[in-house]
Amino acid sequence: MKKKFIFSAIMLATLTLGACGKTNATHKSSTSRTEASDSSSVKITNSDIAEIQDGTADSSTKSKYHKYASSLINSYSTRPDPYHKKHISNSNTHFKKGDYQIFEKNGVEMTYLSDLNDIPDQNISGLKLFNTQYWLSSIDRISKSSLDHLASNDGGAKPVFNSDNDTIKSGDAVVMLTVQTDFKNTTDETLSYDGLAGYAGGDYDFTTSDGKQFDRDKVLYDDDTKSVEVQAGKTVEDKNLIIILATGRDLKAALTKIPNTYLQVKTAGASTKDYDQLDGTRILKLNLKH
């Protein structure tokens, strides 16, 4: 059964929580360049994007972004590019490759780069992972602080396919892979899941198609499936692993870094409330075709 849930809700909640109490003072010096979409006739700067996403924009900037968004939608409708084929409403609970949404209040343009892909159910000693799906999407322009809130970075971490010399700037496009799952506990005791991104301290949690391996601490990601606790007979829904695949000056530049192959992810398993391991590790081979 297909899930009627859309990634933007997760993303916008993350950005909104991250922006609370924040200012963009530390980003203005690095976001001064003016960018206009190749399709839009209305210019908006990366500083404007940062202010809207960080929640510090004034009414003039918000009004300018409204005009920018309207111009962008109009230009894509008359001259669609390979990525932006259909504008869907922000209340739409279905998406497919080529759909996009613009959330004016948050300054977010979300583009869907693949359809939903199903992953088989898994049962780990009575803890069932089901409705598991994954997809590729992008935020076509993101502030540096919003990216910091989206993905953990304790230092030295980077998008999977960025080079060590790549610099991430406010206003860049970011392409991500999201895996979403539900949990159901069919036992009479509380069980925990230890995370789709693998175990803490585990070796080589991510592997690319050319055999390059990464410990998860070296990758920008966020995993709220980590340490999910499911009480006996209960269900927990819509937990997500978000992996940042690449960034670039625009969406095309970011996608150029990502091969049309796959990313392999080694998951963790489950455990009891007494920390007894129930295993359940598996390898997910996630299609990156875009």
Side-chain angles (χ1 to χ4, degrees), residues 153 156-164 212 214 218-220 244:
N153 185 359
K158 68 179 185 66
V160 175
F161 296 104
N162 276 26
S163 73
D164 292 338
K212 190 173 183 179
F214 299 85
K218 301 300 183 183
V219 173
L220 287 176
I244 306 301

Side-chain angles (χ1 to χ4, degrees), residues 45-262:
T45 69
N46 291 320
S47 290
D48 294 334
I49 294 289
E51 288 177 6
I52 296 170
Q53 291 183 3
D54 295 349
T56 61
D58 59 22
S59 58
S60 175
T61 302
K62 293 176 183 177
S63 176
K64 184 166 60 171
Y65 189 83
H66 171 73
K67 294 176 182 178
Y68 168 78
S70 298
S71 175
L72 203 58
I73 293 170
N74 180 64
S75 62
Y76 285 147
S77 66
T78 56
R79 299 187 303 278
D81 64 18
Y83 317 115
H84 307 91
K85 296 183 179 180
K86 182 181 178 181
H87 177 249
I88 59 176
S89 72
N90 295 351
S91 60
N92 196 322
T93 55
H94 297 80
F95 67 85
K96 61 182 180 180
K97 182 178 180 179
D99 290 346
Y100 71 98
Q101 296 170 298
I102 298 179
F103 298 86
E104 291 187 28
K105 181 179 179 180
N106 305 86
V108 171
E109 181 184 346
M110 181 79 63
T111 304
Y112 299 97
L113 304 169
S114 76
D115 295 331
L116 286 169
N117 298 278
D118 293 323
I119 295 174
D121 294 350
Q122 182 184 23
N123 195 321
I124 309 171
S125 300
L127 182 64
K128 182 179 180 182
L129 281 69
F130 67 104
N131 279 342
T132 308
Q133 297 177 315
Y134 70 96
W135 62 93
L136 298 179
S137 62
S138 68
I139 296 178
D140 291 4
R141 296 175 71 178
I142 192 169
S143 73
K144 185 63 168 61
S145 61
S146 293
L147 181 58
D148 290 342
H149 293 308
L150 175 62
S152 61
N153 185 359
D154 295 328
K158 68 179 185 66
V160 175
F161 296 104
N162 276 26
S163 73
D164 292 338
N165 297 323
D166 283 343
T167 301
I168 301 174
K169 302 180 180 67
S170 283
D172 280 358
V174 56
V175 178
M176 65 209 81
L177 183 150
T178 302
V179 186
Q180 185 181 93
T181 192
D182 297 336
F183 299 89
K184 184 174 183 178
N185 185 351
T186 61
T187 74
D188 59 2
E189 65 174 326
T190 298
L191 297 175
S192 296
Y193 186 69
D194 296 319
L196 286 170
Y199 288 108
D203 293 330
Y204 304 132
D205 306 289
F206 304 113
T207 305
T208 59
S209 59
D210 60 358
K212 190 173 183 179
Q213 297 177 310
F214 299 85
D215 293 340
R216 67 179 187 175
D217 292 341
K218 301 300 183 183
V219 173
L220 287 176
Y221 79 99
D222 183 74
D223 186 9
D224 68 11
T225 71
K226 179 180 62 178
S227 302
V228 169
E229 188 174 274
V230 189
Q231 296 180 351
K234 300 295 184 179
T235 297
V236 174
E237 297 182 337
D238 300 331
K239 293 296 182 179
N240 308 277
L241 166 64
I242 300 172
I243 303 170
I244 306 301
L245 298 178
T247 61
R249 187 176 179 87
D250 54 30
L251 179 54
K252 183 177 180 180
L255 284 172
T256 298
K257 301 176 183 179
I258 303 171
N260 278 292
T261 53
Y262 64 86

